[in-house]
Structure formats: structure tokens, C-alpha cells
């Protein structure tokens, strides 16, 4: 019991459970999953499916934040990769061909990888503050995406491309598999090898870990590359969902949602220890919150107020001052209880 | 290990050229001077290319078009000087803008509306400051909450654009005080006035020196007995107030309030401040530099519209300039560290 109470995942999980309970009370059909043509449908499935892009971006963000960095450019990278892929499909003679779509995806992800390399170079080699280094790409990236799409919103029809975000595989949305594969790969890399420990070492104290022989430069660089690649895939999923390359709207504010998911999951922005499970829970919490807001009939535009309230509540719960208050209150409770006990034993 | 170290060379201090010493005193100025140089190069280059770029009318329009960005950049300069960041400025501007437009549309007198807009911005700034100072929330996350909150409030006020008919607000924009071909609108005057006040406050007041001290080293500032906590809250408050004023500027400029105004403007403002030579680590920079940064930004925008090229180039060039400046700053900081 004590282990459960001490777990860093306690609050994130409680928040998610509370949200699910509220939803189930408000509309009993929330937990319902229906089978249609062997495919599963329902609110929960929608949440899992729609969370895929945010999941990918947040996983990358977790690694970057673990190295004491931050990647503001993820939304811009999403816009670039989606624009490249769709522009390629649009210009090809066979938009419905699987080969065309494959090349398009590889192009999008490869470009995202290059952008990740660029971010990592600025941070790890030139030693520029991460928030500013990635701000450069955040500003310029959408400009690049606009150039790629010529300033238009490129819409295409391509069945294989559409499949990625909207298709089903063995009864479950394909996008869910993409999320699961990404989670599995990150967990295997970071938790089944020493990479995770080294990442945390770099995040806790960059110079100490360098003196201890950790190749911190490569680890930091790798984190930004991972973030770039994951954002690239997220951009392809996003553009596949709407089947349009929108350089301005793709991934708008996703960096903020991703950072929020990471913080919700209990990873500190100060770097060091990180929790992939926490991030997954954080992403699901945000997605459930968004779906709740929509269900409550709140105009989607107003949802930022709820997000703001969520951010403020979470950071307050995590703040040392509030911890001080709660532990002081607990101590007072204990102090009130102890005299009674001494009377009993006396 | 056993050898006795030679005594320090007595002539070491005099060996340094006096010129270097004198130049070093101006080291904090150099990024700002670089920004001024870029501004001059940009304008002269544009003039040589287009022939009719440096005209009174064009330069006056530059100030008018970017008055709202100047306000945001001024407020942000205070925050960044303390080593913080405020991501909420664009959303605060949208919120106060639509709030003002809505109140005016409801027939509330302008004398009530203007203070309400400024108070609205100040409230969000104060909230961010309180989160940062009293709950140890990182400025990035606290102002992120402010961003979401202000943007959400903007949509709560109205989901669509509201036209402003109020003569006073429209007067701010439409009145042109002419001197030959030069003109200045009340919004431009307010913007320049705010820049002047901010520069004076940072240069000559105890508060201003505390702002720089916190950015230099918060711990030292605290040990020196400076009012660190209060100053940090006030800095975010100032940024909020500037956001409120920017909302007024933009509403006057566009003749309407719109809840989607200024999406991403916080980045433009941060870029302008950095290009103006303010160090993101805090402790070094000038409000006048931020004004120059905004003019560089606006200059690039108008050069691009002169060439008829795609406006997406603005973002790319601003990104490139930002990169140039952070590398310059990086070199300066590296040299300061070595000393």
C-alpha cells in the first residue's frame, strides 16, 4: 500500500480514473464498445485513435525533457512532414499506389529526422539554450511548410494514405498500433538498455555525467533526433486524418499539449528522471479531457480554459509550497491524534 | 608540484590595451548595436534595390503597423531580463482586444472599457507572476497556463469577430499628425511613450536595477536584500499590462476584436526581443533594442511585400536572423564565462 501511495504515477492515474468516472456518470455509453463488421467502435476507441499524434510527440518530448531540454519545434516538424508527404502524393501519377505512399512517408519522416538533427546540433554542439534553439525551427518550420505547399491547403485522395489514421487492422484502429509500436520501441531502448539511465544522468547533471565518461553530446543529440522522427510520423498521421496538408494548423499548440502531457505524467521539466508510463497516462488524460469538453457541448474554442485550469491544478499539486501546506496539515492531524494514543497506553 | 610558482607578472594589468578595456565596457551593448546595424543594412539595401523604400510614408507605416508588437516586446523585455519567459502575450492581446470590442458593442463607455482592458491583461500577468514566485512554477509552464487561459477567455467573450464603432478607439488609429509626408498616429505615440517610460524605468529606478540584478543572479540579488519576489511578480504584471495595451492597439488598428488574433505572436515578440539584443539568460538587454528588433521584424515583412515574394519567407528569415543572434549571444556569453 505504501509503495502504491508513494508511486509517482499515483496522481496521474487518479486524475485519469477520475476523468473516466465523471464521463461514465455523465453518459453511461462512454465505456460502451460496439463491434461493427469486426471493428471496434466507441468513445474509448476514439480517444485511443485520436491520441496517436500527441502520443508520438509526447514520447519524444519526454526524452528531450529528460535531458533537461525542450523541443518547441515539434508542431512545425509535423507541418513539414505532412506537407512533404501530401505534396509528393499530389504530384505523383498514382496517388493510390502503395509504393507512392511508402515513398511519401519515407520522405516526410526523413525530412523530420534531418530537422531533429538540426535541433540537436544547435543544442548539443553549439550549446544554445534548448528553448531558443528549437524556437528558430518553430518559427521557420511553418514558413518552410508553407513554401512546400505553395501557401495552399493541399488536399489529396489516396486510400493507402488515408488508411494510416482512419483504417482498421484486426478490429482496432491502425493509428493505435502506431502508438503502441512507438511506446514499445521507446521503452525497449530507454528501459531495457542503459540508455535511459544515461539520459537521466545527463539531465540531472550534464557536466558531472560528462566527467563520468557519459557521451552526453550524443545522448542529447539523439534525444532531439528521436523527437524529430516521432513528430514526423505524427505529422503524417495528422495529415492522413484530415487528408490535407495545412501548414498553419497542423500541430498547432501540440508542443504545449505534449509538454503538458509530460508534466502531467510526473516528469519534471528540470530534467533527470522521466516516466514513459506517466507520459502515456498524461496523453490519455489530455485526450479524455478534450473529448469530455466536446461532449459537454462546450465550443471547442473554449476548451483552452479547461486546459488552463488543468495546468494550474497540476502544477499547484506538484508545487513544493502546496506540499508544505499538506504535510503541515498532516503533521497537525497526527499531533492531534498522538496525545489520545498516549493517554490510552498510559 | 614542488616548484614555487613564479610571482604574478607585475605588468600584467598594464599589458592589456586600454582600448580593449574601454570596448569591454560596451560589450553588453554589442548585440543591440548589431541589431541596429542589421536594421540599417536592411533599409539601405531595400532602398538600393527598390529605390522607394526609405520614404517618410513607408517608415511611418512601419511604426503604425507594428505598434502592437512594440507593446508586447516591451513587456516581454522586462520578463526576459529577469531570466523568465512569458508565452501568454499574444493570447492576452487577443483576449483584451475582444473584451474591449465586446464591451464597446454593449454600449459601455470607453472610459470604463480602456481600464477594463488593461486590468484584464494585468490580472493574467499577476496570476502568472504569482504562480512563478509563490508556487515555484517554471515561467514556461506558468505562462503556458496563462496562454491557454487568455485564449479560452477570448473565445468565451465571443466566438466571432466584433466590429468597433467607437469614435475614440478609431481615433487612436485614424488621426494622423502630419509633418510633411511623415505622420504619427496616437497609437504610434503611445507605443513610443511606453518605450520611453520603460527605458527610463530600467535605467534610472531601483526597480529597474533589481530587474537586471535578478537576471544576473537571482540568488545574489536575494542575498543583497533586493525585493526579488515582488519584482518578479511586477515584471509579469507589466507584461500583462502591455498585453492589454497591445490589445487596444490591435483593436484600433483592425477596427475589430477577433478571438483568433495573435496566434503565435508570442514567438514574434520573443524573436524581436532576442534580435534586439536581450540575452535570454537574463540580466542583459535594452528596451530600445527590443524596439529595434520589432522594426527589423517589420522591415523584413515590408521588404518581402515589396518583392512580392511569399509571406512565408518572413518566418524563415526571422528564424534565420534569430539563429544568427543567438549564436552571437552565445559567443558573448562564452567570452564572459572565460573571464
Amino acid at each position: 500500500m505504501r509503495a502504491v501511495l508513494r508511486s509517482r504515477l499515483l496522481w496521474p492515474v487518479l486524475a485519469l480514473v477520475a476523468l473516466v468516472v465523471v464521463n461514465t456518470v455523465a453518459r453511461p455509453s462512454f465505456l460502451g464498445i460496439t463491434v461493427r463488421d469486426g471493428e471496434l467502435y466507441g468513445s474509448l476507441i476514439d480517444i485511443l485513435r485520436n491520441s496517436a499524434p500527441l502520443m508520438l510527440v509526447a514520447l519524444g518530448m519526454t526524452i528531450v525533457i529528460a535531458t533537461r531540454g525542450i523541443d518547441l519545434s515539434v508542431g512545425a516538424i509535423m507541418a513539414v512532414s505532412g506537407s512533404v508527404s501530401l505534396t509528393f502524393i499530389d504530384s505523383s501519377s498514382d496517388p493510390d499506389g502503395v509504393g507512392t505512399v511508402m515513398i511519401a512517408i519515407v520522405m516526410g519522416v526523413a525530412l523530420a529526422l534531418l530537422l531533429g538533427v538540426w535541433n540537436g546540433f544547435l543544442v548539443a554542439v553549439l550549446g544554445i539554450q534548448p528553448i531558443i534553439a528549437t524556437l528558430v525551427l518553430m518559427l521557420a518550420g511553418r514558413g518552410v511548410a508553407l513554401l512546400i505547399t505553395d501557401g495552399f491547403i493541399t488536399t489529396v485522395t489516396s486510400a493507402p494514405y488515408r488508411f494510416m489514421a482512419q483504417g482498421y487492422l484486426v478490429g482496432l484502429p491502425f493509428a493505435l498500433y502506431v502508438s503502441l509500436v512507438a511506446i514499445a520501441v521507446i521503452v525497449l531502448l530507454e528501459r531495457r538498455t542503459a540508455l535511459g539511465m544515461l539520459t537521466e544522468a545527463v539531465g540531472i547533471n550534464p557536466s558531472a555525467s560528462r566527467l563520468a565518461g557519459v557521451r552526453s553530446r550524443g545522448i542529447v543529440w539523439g534525444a532531439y533526433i528521436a523527437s524529430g522522427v516521432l513528430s514526423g510520423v505524427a505529422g503524417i498521421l495528422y495529415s492522413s486524418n484530415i487528408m490535407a496538408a495545412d501548414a498553419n494548423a497542423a500541430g498547432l499548440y501540440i508542443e504545449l499539449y505534449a509538454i503538458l502531457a509530460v508534466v502531467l505524467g510526473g516528469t519534471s521539466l528540470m530534467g533527470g528522471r522521466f516516466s514513459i508510463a506517466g507520459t502515456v497516462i498524461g496523453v490519455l488524460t489530455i485526450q479524455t479531457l478534450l473529448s469530455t469538453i466536446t461532449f459537454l457541448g462546450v465550443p471547442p474554442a473554449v476548451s483552452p480554459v479547461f486546459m488552463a485550469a488543468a495546468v494550474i491544478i497540476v502544477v499547484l499539486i506538484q508545487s513544493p509550497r502546496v506540499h508544505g501546506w499538506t504535510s503541515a496539515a498532516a503533521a497537525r492531524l497526527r499531533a492531534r491524534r498522538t496525545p489520545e494514543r498516549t493517554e490510552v497506553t498510559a | 608540484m614542488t616548484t614555487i610558482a613564479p610571482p604574478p607578472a607585475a605588468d600584467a594589468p598594464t599589458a592589456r590595451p586600454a582600448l580593449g578595456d574601454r570596448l569591454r565596457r560596451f560589450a553588453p551593448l554589442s548585440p543591440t548595436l548589431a541589431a541596429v546595424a542589421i536594421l540599417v543594412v536592411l533599409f539601405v539595401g531595400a532602398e538600393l534595390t527598390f529605390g522607394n523604400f526609405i520614404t517618410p510614408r513607408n517608415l511611418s507605416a512601419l511604426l503604425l503597423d507594428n505598434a502592437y508588437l512594440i507593446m508586447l516586446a516591451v513587456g516581454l523585455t522586462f520578463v526576459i531580463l529577469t531570466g523568465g519567459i512569458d508565452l501568454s502575450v499574444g493570447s492576452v492581446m487577443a483576449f483584451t482586444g475582444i473584451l474591449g470590442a465586446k464591451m464597446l458593442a454593449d454600449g459601455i463607455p470607453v472610459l470604463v472599457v480602456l481600464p477594463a482592458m488593461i486590468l484584464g491583461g494585468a490580472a493574467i500577468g499577476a496570476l502568472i507572476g504569482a504562480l512563478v514566485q509563490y508556487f515555484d512554477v517554471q515561467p514556461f509552464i506558468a505562462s503556458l497556463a496563462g496562454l491557454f487561459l487568455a485564449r479560452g477567455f477570448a473565445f468565451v467573450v465571443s466566438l466571432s469577430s466584433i466590429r468597433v464603432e467607437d469614435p475614440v478607439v478609431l481615433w487612436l488609429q485614424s488621426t494622423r499628425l502630419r509633418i510633411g509626408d511623415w505622420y504619427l498616429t496616437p497609437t504610434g505615440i503611445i507605443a513610443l511613450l511606453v518605450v520611453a517610460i520603460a527605458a527610463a524605468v530600467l535605467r534610472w529606478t531601483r526597480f529597474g536595477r533589481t530587474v537586471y540584478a535578478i537576471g544576473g543572479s537571482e540568488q545574489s540579488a536575494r542575498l543583497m536584500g533586493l525585493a526579488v519576489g515582488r519584482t518578479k511578480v511586477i515584471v509579469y504584471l507589466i507584461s500583462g499590462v502591455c498585453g492589454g495595451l497591445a490589445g487596444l492597439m490591435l483593436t484600433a488598428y483592425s477596427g475589430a476584436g477577433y478571438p483568433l488574433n495573435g496566434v503565435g505572436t508570442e514567438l514574434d515578440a520573443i524573436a524581436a526581443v532576442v534580435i534586439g539584443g536581450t540575452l535570454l539568460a537574463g540580466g542583459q538587454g535594452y528596451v530600445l533594442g527590443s524596439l529595434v528588433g520589432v522594426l527589423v521584424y517589420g522591415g523584413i515583412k515590408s521588404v518581402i511585400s515589396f518583392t512580392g515574394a511569399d509571406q512565408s519567407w518572413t518566418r524563415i528569415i526571422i528564424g534565420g536572423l534569430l539563429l544568427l543572434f543567438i549564436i552571437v549571444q552565445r559567443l558573448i556569453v562564452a567570452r564572459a564565462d572565460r573571464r
Side-chain angles (χ1 to χ4, degrees), chain A residues 225-271:
Chain A
I225 295 174
S227 176
V229 169
L230 287 164
S231 307
V233 180
I236 285 168
L237 281 180
Y238 177 88
S239 62
S240 155
N241 198 27
I242 61 169
M243 286 311 277
D246 187 344
N248 284 313
L252 189 64
Y253 285 149
I254 201 164
E255 60 283 340
L256 303 180
Y257 283 111
I259 293 164
L260 180 58
V262 174
V263 175
L264 272 175
T267 298
S268 159
L269 277 173
M270 299 305 289

Side-chain angles (χ1 to χ4, degrees), chain B residues 236-307:
Chain B
Y236 288 93
L237 194 72
I238 290 175
S239 180
V241 167
C242 286
L245 281 170
L248 173 65
M249 305 266 172
L250 194 62
T251 305
Y253 180 73
S254 58
Y258 183 48
L260 264 176
N261 266 339
V263 170
T265 305
E266 54 277 354
L267 304 178
D268 298 334
I270 293 171
V273 172
V274 173
I275 290 172
T278 298
L279 224 56
L280 270 151
Q284 231 176 71
Y286 305 93
V287 168
L288 285 173
S290 299
L291 174 64
V292 174
V294 172
L295 293 179
V296 168
Y297 176 88
I300 290 171
K301 240 162 95 176
S302 57
V303 165
I304 284 168
S305 70
F306 258 68
T307 59

Side-chain angles (χ1 to χ4, degrees), chain A residues 189-214:
Chain A
L189 276 179
E190 296 283 339
R191 290 300 184 216
R192 290 286 167 263
T193 72
L195 188 62
M197 194 195 69
L198 297 178
T199 306
E200 292 185 337
V202 170
I204 289 165
N205 191 334
S207 28
S209 55
R210 196 173 52 248
L211 293 175
V214 178

Side-chain angles (χ1 to χ4, degrees), chain A residues 142-152, chain B residues 300-301 303-305 307-317:
Chain A
R142 285 190 193 281
V144 173
L146 277 168
L147 281 186
I148 294 170
T149 60
D150 236 355
F152 296 109
Chain B
I300 290 171
K301 240 162 95 176
V303 165
I304 284 168
S305 70
T307 59
D310 204 277
Q311 280 295 331
S312 47
W313 280 106
T314 313
R315 316 214 79 189
I316 298 175
I317 294 173

Side-chain angles (χ1 to χ4, degrees), chain B residues 19-96:
Chain B
L19 182 68
D21 270 347
R22 237 177 294 157
L23 281 181
R24 199 165 301 126
R25 275 183 53 207
F26 293 104
L29 254 179
S30 52
T32 305
L33 292 178
V36 173
I38 285 201
L39 186 67
V40 170
V41 168
L42 183 72
F43 278 31
V44 171
E47 175 67 29
L48 293 177
T49 319
F50 306 116
N52 57 349
F53 189 82
I54 305 183
T55 59
R57 192 220 281 251
N58 203 16
L59 297 185
S60 304
L62 192 63
L63 185 66
L64 171 62
D65 293 344
N66 295 294
Y68 72 95
L69 196 56
I70 293 175
M71 305 298 321
L72 296 183
V74 167
L76 204 53
T77 308
F78 279 85
V79 176
I80 292 180
L81 278 176
T82 65
I85 193 103
D86 188 352
L87 298 176
S88 73
V89 293
S91 299
V92 169
M93 175 177 76
F95 164 53
T96 59

Side-chain angles (χ1 to χ4, degrees), chain A residues 72 118 126-127 129 131-132 135-136 138-139 143 146-147 256 259 269-270 301-302 304-305 308 315-316 319 321, chain B residues 134-135 138 140-141 144-145 148-149 152-153 155-156 267-268 270-271 280 312-313 315-316 319 322-323 326 330:
Chain A
L72 294 183
W118 162 255
L126 297 189
Q129 265 177 294
I131 179 173
I132 298 313
L135 181 65
V136 171
M138 185 184 190
L139 279 172
L146 277 168
L147 281 186
L256 303 180
I259 293 164
L269 277 173
M270 299 305 289
V302 181
V305 174
V315 294
L316 285 186
S319 97
R321 180 169 290 238
Chain B
Y134 299 116
F135 293 97
Q138 290 191 15
F140 188 88
I141 293 293
L144 176 62
F148 281 133
L149 200 64
F153 281 162
F155 281 107
V156 170
L267 304 178
D268 298 334
I270 293 171
L280 270 151
S312 47
W313 280 106
R315 316 214 79 189
I316 298 175
L322 190 63
L323 180 67
I326 55 182
R330 177 77 202 145

